[in-house]
Amino acid sequence: MDTGLLVLRLVVGLLIAGHGVQKVSFRLGGDGLAGGTREFRHDGFRGGRLTAVAAGGSQIGAGLFLAAGLLTPAAAMAAMGVMTVAGSVKWPQGLWVQNDGYEYPLVLVVVSAVLALTGPGRWSADHALGLTPWPLWVSVAAVVVGPVSGLLTRAVLHRGPAAEDPTGDAAEGRGPHARAAR
């Protein structure tokens, strides 16, 4: 079980962190902070640059902490929050990723919830620091607060769909979300 949790944490955590890196830099195929800002504005979010930095930073931090198994319930909560926002953006397209749906964000939310509930395993920073097992109430709180915080973020920062994409990326299937769906 510990080996499985280690592999799951490493893969999912590094994927979440990598997605955050794409939001704020040109690494890993990202479009830089300007591209992340454009993406959030196109998706109808206020704040542009600040929103991109907050989302990217949350994904990087949550992903790295999940990969390390460090403060696992808090890391899972942050990952669930940002991925709930991503899922809410993709909700109108339906479930399946080939239609730019919310399938992938949903999988990341569920895996993060599972890690919060099961714990990170023996091969983790939490275990090495003597923080495990986490009390059940902490894990349950993380599983509830993560998605709720994402929905609240969406409600507060979303202003409706953008009128048009000045770059033409979305229409041409070249934007960051289009790449992820391929």
Side-chain angles (χ1 to χ4, degrees):
M1 174 112 121
D2 292 314
T3 304
L5 288 170
L6 174 65
V7 170
L8 185 64
R9 281 193 349 260
L10 286 173
V11 170
V12 170
L14 293 176
L15 284 172
I16 291 171
H19 196 73
V21 167
Q22 289 180 319
K23 294 262 186 297
V24 297
S25 76
F26 291 102
R27 300 208 181 272
L28 305 177
D31 293 326
L33 185 54
T37 300
R38 243 186 344 269
E39 176 185 349
F40 278 99
R41 285 187 180 144
H42 178 264
D43 288 340
F45 286 90
R46 292 179 185 91
R49 186 179 189 94
L50 180 59
T51 303
V53 168
S58 295
Q59 287 173 321
I60 292 167
L64 293 177
F65 274 51
L66 275 178
L70 178 60
L71 304 175
T72 303
M77 181 179 66
M80 286 184 280
V82 294
M83 296 319 297
T84 297
V85 173
S88 74
V89 169
K90 294 175 173 299
W91 183 264
Q93 285 83 333
L95 175 63
W96 303 113
V97 75
Q98 71 264 26
N99 299 321
D100 200 26
Y102 61 90
E103 174 186 3
Y104 181 64
L106 177 63
V107 168
L108 294 177
V109 167
V110 170
V111 169
S112 296
V114 168
L115 288 170
L117 293 169
T118 62
R122 255 185 349 182
W123 298 330
S124 66
D126 281 351
H127 184 75
L129 295 170
L131 298 175
T132 55
W134 287 94
L136 180 61
W137 72 268
V138 170
S139 299
V140 170
V143 169
V144 172
V145 171
V148 168
S149 70
L151 293 174
L152 287 173
T153 299
R154 166 82 181 203
V156 169
L157 293 180
H158 196 258
R159 63 173 185 266
E164 71 178 61
D165 178 8
T167 65
D169 284 350
E172 298 296 321
R174 291 189 312 248
H177 290 297
R179 269 198 310 275
R182 287 188 204 143

